[in-house]
Amino acid sequence: MASLVMNFSGIYQLQNFWKEDFAEMDCSQIQGTDCYLDPMAEAEIRRKMDACPVRGVHFIDSGNTHYLSKLWTDRLSENFSLVVFDHHSDMQPPVFDGILSCGSWLKAALDSNPFLQNVLLFGVGTSSAEEIPLVYRKKVHVVPESECAAESFGVDFVFDEKFFRHPVYVSVDKDVLSERELKTNWDGGSLSTDNLLKLLERIFALGNILGVDVCGEPSFRDVFSEDENLRQSNSINASLWNLLKKYF
């Protein structure tokens, strides 16, 4: 198992949750990675990732690089289910043909990965959920933001056993959290950190977990080393890691 931070923006240099247990993959000098992934940048990132196992925990910077979840899951060679926590569906049609983006990566994964069997998508806002084409509804089950807002949601949610017939890959975008708890560089949802942790713990207990990635850091340009939002992001990351390392 490998624990890894993928540093694009420099935000992890202002946090300490990872410095004892994680390796760092420096991607800060790669051009063409902000929201849209240039094909040359993609090839360079894939080369770097080839040296790292999929089975592990990967912190992958802000929501602008959530497309890295597709790159990680592209390396799986067995049928799997994908559990995603995100305030956005990430299933928009690509703006530029052949260019992967943070807003289209999940659609691209469904279109191209024959091993991806089911998707469970937590916390999506109403307008973003409406973007999901009907053709994907047999594979994609959406748990909307409105349901995630309930105080007891983390323990009350009933998982469908079909999502655990296969091993599970988990992707967390922290913009699924309420903005009262964390402000990312995207609009936030309604899930509490406590409920996120409860749901993850239940998922880890139910399934064979192939790997986990976490994104949703605040914008590096908008924070300072003493910024309260930065401290909160570091605290949430530490809580996630304390949970994750018990199961890997």
Side-chain angles (χ1 to χ4, degrees):
M1 193 277 284
S3 49
L4 179 73
V5 296
M6 300 181 72
N7 176 26
F8 287 81
S9 69
I11 193 70
Y12 293 123
Q13 300 306 320
L14 303 178
Q15 302 183 46
N16 60 21
F17 77 92
W18 63 276
K19 293 189 176 178
E20 290 186 4
D21 299 319
F22 284 72
E24 179 185 6
M25 181 186 293
D26 184 9
C27 301
S28 60
Q29 300 305 308
I30 303 175
Q31 302 297 310
T33 63
D34 191 12
C35 292
Y36 298 92
L37 183 58
D38 177 87
M40 291 183 63
E42 179 177 346
E44 185 173 354
I45 292 168
R46 286 188 186 274
R47 282 195 296 271
K48 285 178 174 284
M49 290 170 60
D50 283 344
C52 305
V54 178
R55 292 179 183 266
V57 179
H58 314 111
F59 281 77
I60 59 174
D61 215 292
S62 77
N64 291 12
T65 51
H66 202 174
Y67 52 71
L68 293 167
S69 299
K70 179 182 183 298
L71 273 58
W72 282 114
T73 54
D74 280 351
R75 296 175 58 197
L76 298 174
S77 57
E78 59 185 305
N79 289 341
F80 71 99
S81 293
L82 178 60
V83 178
V84 182
F85 294 85
D86 201 318
H87 192 228
H88 309 88
S89 71
D90 291 353
M91 293 190 64
Q92 298 174 357
V95 176
F96 308 105
D97 284 344
I99 303 294
L100 190 63
S101 77
C102 61
S104 68
W105 73 268
L106 183 52
K107 180 181 183 300
L110 284 160
D111 288 342
S112 64
N113 193 328
F115 299 111
L116 178 51
Q117 302 300 304
N118 298 287
V119 177
L120 178 57
L121 186 52
F122 282 102
V124 177
T126 302
S127 60
S128 190
E130 291 172 350
E131 296 173 352
I132 302 174
L134 290 175
V135 67
Y136 297 100
R137 295 299 173 91
K138 285 187 177 179
K139 277 193 172 183
V140 180
H141 179 73
V142 175
V143 184
E145 176 185 5
S146 56
E147 289 186 34
C148 294
E151 191 170 321
S152 60
F153 178 74
V155 294
D156 286 349
F157 182 78
V158 178
F159 284 96
D160 188 328
E161 66 176 16
K162 74 178 180 182
F163 294 107
F164 300 97
R165 292 177 190 155
H166 308 289
V168 176
Y169 187 93
V170 179
S171 180
V172 178
D173 188 335
K174 291 186 293 180
D175 72 11
V176 76
L177 299 173
S178 164
E179 291 186 356
R180 294 189 301 274
E181 300 201 25
L182 181 69
K183 293 181 180 178
T184 71
N185 64 331
W186 293 88
D187 58 296
S190 300
L191 194 66
S192 69
T193 302
D194 283 347
N195 278 344
L196 172 61
L197 293 170
K198 288 173 184 174
L199 287 165
L200 288 172
E201 191 158 26
R202 291 173 61 200
I203 290 166
F204 301 147
L206 286 168
N208 172 14
I209 308 302
L210 294 170
V212 180
D213 62 54
V214 181
C215 68
E217 296 307 315
S219 170
F220 178 75
R221 294 184 292 270
D222 298 334
V223 301
F224 302 93
S225 59
E226 299 302 316
D227 182 83
E228 177 60 30
N229 197 49
L230 176 66
R231 285 197 293 269
Q232 186 62 18
S233 188
N234 183 68
S235 176
I236 293 169
N237 287 340
S239 295
L240 286 166
W241 175 231
N242 284 337
L243 173 64
L244 293 168
K245 66 185 178 183
K246 291 191 298 184
Y247 289 91
F248 279 89

